[in-house]
Amino acid sequence: MDAGSQSISSEKSSRYAAPRPPLQEAGSRPYMPSLSTVSRNPSAKCYGDRFIPDRSAMDMDMAHYLLTEPRKDKENAAASPAKEAYRKLLAEKILNNRTRILSFRNKPPEPESILTELRADATSIQAKPAKQRRYIPQSAERTLDAPELVDDYYLNLLDWGSSNVLSIALGNSVYLWDATNSSTSELVTVDEDNGPVTSLSWAPDGRHIAVGLNSSDVQLWDTSSNRLLRMMRGVHDSRVGSLAWNNNILTTGGMDGKIVNNDVRIRNHVVQAYQGHQQEVCGLKWSGSGQQLASGGNDNLLHIWDVSMASSMPSAGRTQWLHRLESHLAAVKALAWCPFQSNLLASGGGGSDRCIKFWNTHTGACLNSIDTGSQVCSLVWNKNERELLSSHGFAQNQLTLWKYPSMVKMAELTGHTSRVLFTAQSPDGLTVASAAADETLRFWNVFGAPEAPKTATKGSHTGMFNNSNHIHIR
């Protein structure tokens, strides 16, 4: 079991006697380092090579003559033309126009043609500029207040929709923050009997959003009109802590261990169920193809489900998982499907496990396991590079950027003072928002722009949300 919700003391309740407005700039903006780097080129003395004359190659008589030859007076411009012609002729025929007194060794012979080509190739390679390491800002670009954010590891209270609107649940309320103009609006505040909000997830169209409640109900909202479209009751016996969309199917996971597929287009919305967890389902993620579902629970189990194996009769009691993975030693909440390898899944364990594991979901094999040293709360893949971002709890409460597959740390982003419970990625894949138990929401430009646009090949797969711009909800 992993540390879950925290009790709210009277001291904390008094803290909100004068409530803070949500999603406003935090009181102290974090220090932002300059993007320009100061050139550090310390002046250094340059010493040339020391040349030593070769006495064996010197003509001592010639050197003596050149040293003792009388110098002409520079001011005496009246010189006999005949003598001048005789001097030039003598220097040309006898002295061979030599004026040097010291003689140095001759140049080494030129290398063979093969060596010359190799040297030319090496020179051309060295001449190419080295690939510069991407600059990763160490401080958050923006910090917003998030008062009354529930400190509960098992919930999922942050999501960023395809319309570039970020949603966050604060206590009994859901707020929307529009990233295009930084405007904030309140979507809904539920009553105490139904609250607090325990999960939320944007539909693929970026317009509709699902909201899971502590009362076990699930609401569907149209954010363009702030209208409640439907309330789904009776799906679960207790709170709904995880949600995941697969086109028109909304998958819900509850504290009762149930996983249910709901078709939001029809009246009798429960169409399929997955049974395998004995405790709360705290992580749900559909693969990019929409054919496999990953679920993590407080029973330390990770299941891989195939869409074709779901039971159409929730009461049948069948276990129809594709893989049942039992390697984690704590609750499995952090799940992330790889964007560049469809059968690669990353999972993260809680405080007693602290590991990030990578799985081949076709075979169920564990490809790698890394001990991060702290509770793994969430995982996000970089859409443009082979990188993975993880958020953590005690002791550093940091976000760590890893290079895949070497799992070398590229950066550690600090600033949160409590565990970083939730993360969400912007639609363009460049920015990651993090919400922590310190009641702040921070934005990190951690992934940066892609190096070069990658043109999609003809007939390539474009993701799970094809032709899903319009979701019909009854």
Side-chain angles (χ1 to χ4, degrees):
M1 302 248 330
D2 207 77
S5 58
Q6 304 284 334
S7 61
I8 302 176
S9 64
S10 59
E11 178 182 354
K12 183 173 181 179
S13 60
S14 62
R15 177 181 177 184
Y16 299 111
R20 291 177 291 160
L23 305 186
Q24 299 298 314
E25 292 287 349
S28 58
R29 186 179 179 92
Y31 169 71
M32 287 289 293
S34 173
L35 295 180
S36 61
T37 57
V38 180
S39 176
R40 295 182 297 174
N41 294 323
S43 58
K45 295 182 179 180
C46 296
Y47 298 94
D49 295 331
R50 190 177 76 170
F51 293 86
I52 302 176
D54 186 5
R55 295 179 63 87
S56 63
M58 294 172 55
D59 187 342
M60 302 304 295
D61 292 335
M62 180 62 66
H64 180 269
Y65 168 76
L66 293 174
L67 287 172
T68 58
E69 179 186 18
R71 300 296 179 183
K72 295 183 179 180
D73 189 356
K74 294 182 180 180
E75 296 181 0
N76 187 10
S80 170
K83 288 184 179 181
E84 184 65 23
Y86 175 73
R87 188 188 65 78
K88 290 182 179 181
L89 183 60
L90 183 64
E92 179 181 354
K93 297 298 183 182
I94 300 178
L95 303 180
N96 292 323
N97 287 324
R98 286 188 292 172
T99 58
R100 284 196 172 191
I101 297 175
L102 303 179
S103 178
F104 300 90
R105 293 186 182 275
N106 296 327
K107 291 183 179 180
E110 290 294 329
E112 298 294 336
S113 58
I114 297 180
L115 296 179
T116 304
E117 294 176 1
L118 291 176
R119 179 180 293 178
D121 293 341
T123 303
S124 63
I125 293 175
Q126 294 176 358
K128 294 180 181 178
K131 181 181 178 180
Q132 293 184 352
R133 187 174 180 179
R134 187 178 81 249
Y135 174 76
I136 303 172
Q138 299 297 300
S139 299
E141 180 190 19
R142 182 192 294 262
T143 302
L144 304 180
D145 283 321
E148 297 186 58
L149 180 73
V150 178
D151 182 7
D152 194 324
Y153 176 82
Y154 303 105
L155 306 184
N156 293 272
L157 304 179
L158 183 70
D159 197 19
W160 204 328
S162 59
S163 297
N164 207 17
V165 177
L166 182 139
S167 59
I168 185 171
L170 302 177
N172 295 335
S173 302
V174 175
Y175 293 92
L176 306 179
W177 184 80
D178 193 332
T180 58
N181 55 20
S182 300
S183 62
T184 303
S185 61
E186 180 182 333
L187 177 66
V188 59
T189 296
V190 299
D191 55 38
E192 292 292 338
D193 294 335
N194 291 321
V197 177
T198 53
S199 58
L200 47 79
S201 179
W202 284 100
D205 61 1
R207 173 183 173 184
H208 300 93
I209 190 171
V211 179
L213 301 178
N214 192 59
S215 62
S216 78
D217 296 338
V218 178
Q219 298 179 348
L220 296 178
W221 287 82
D222 184 347
T223 60
S224 62
S225 60
N226 276 30
R227 184 166 58 97
L228 176 63
L229 299 179
R230 71 182 301 176
M231 176 86 77
M232 296 188 294
R233 292 189 170 96
V235 179
H236 294 276
D237 300 328
S238 53
R239 71 179 186 182
V240 180
S242 54
L243 301 168
W245 287 89
N246 187 3
N247 290 328
N248 297 308
I249 300 297
L250 173 62
T251 304
T252 60
M255 182 179 276
D256 53 11
K258 297 179 183 178
I259 301 174
V260 180
N261 284 347
N262 303 271
D263 191 333
V264 298
R265 299 169 297 180
I266 60 179
R267 182 179 298 275
N268 298 323
H269 48 84
V270 176
V271 292
Q272 292 171 322
Y274 303 92
Q275 300 172 8
H277 289 284
Q278 300 302 317
Q279 297 187 39
E280 181 168 15
V281 179
C282 49
L284 278 179
K285 285 291 172 66
W286 280 100
S287 64
S289 64
Q291 296 301 308
Q292 290 186 334
L293 172 69
S295 67
N298 192 32
D299 50 11
N300 306 348
L301 294 177
L302 170 62
H303 285 99
I304 307 298
W305 313 86
D306 190 274
V307 67
S308 62
M309 301 175 68
S311 171
S312 58
M313 297 180 294
S315 61
R318 294 191 297 134
T319 55
Q320 61 278 349
W321 57 75
L322 181 63
H323 299 293
R324 182 186 181 102
L325 308 172
E326 305 178 8
S327 298
H328 283 290
L329 303 177
V332 184
K333 174 195 173 186
L335 299 172
W337 289 92
C338 179
F340 52 82
Q341 187 173 338
S342 60
N343 64 324
L344 177 60
L345 174 71
S347 63
S352 299
D353 181 76
R354 306 179 303 276
C355 289
I356 298 175
K357 297 182 185 294
F358 298 91
W359 307 91
N360 181 334
T361 59
H362 288 171
T363 64
C366 182
L367 305 177
N368 195 9
S369 180
I370 300 296
D371 189 343
T372 66
S374 58
Q375 180 186 53
V376 183
C377 300
S378 66
L379 295 170
V380 180
W381 285 97
N382 187 340
K383 296 180 180 179
N384 303 308
E385 303 291 339
R386 293 175 181 261
E387 299 169 358
L388 180 69
L389 182 71
S390 57
S391 72
H392 299 271
F394 181 81
Q396 287 186 272
N397 307 309
Q398 84 282 13
L399 291 91
T400 302
L401 182 63
W402 308 84
K403 186 69 177 177
Y404 183 83
S406 64
M407 293 306 288
V408 173
K409 287 184 182 181
M410 300 180 62
E412 285 196 339
L413 311 179
T414 57
H416 285 294
T417 57
S418 296
R419 56 182 179 171
V420 187
L421 294 166
F422 320 111
T423 56
Q425 190 174 23
S426 61
D428 61 10
L430 305 184
T431 304
V432 172
S434 63
D438 59 8
E439 298 187 344
T440 63
L441 176 65
R442 298 172 188 257
F443 296 83
W444 311 84
N445 286 334
V446 61
F447 288 145
E451 293 183 358
K454 300 177 181 178
T455 57
T457 57
K458 186 177 180 180
S460 63
H461 180 69
T462 56
M464 62 180 281
F465 298 145
N466 297 340
N467 302 323
S468 61
N469 292 329
H470 302 283
I471 293 184
H472 305 284
I473 300 177
R474 297 181 181 177

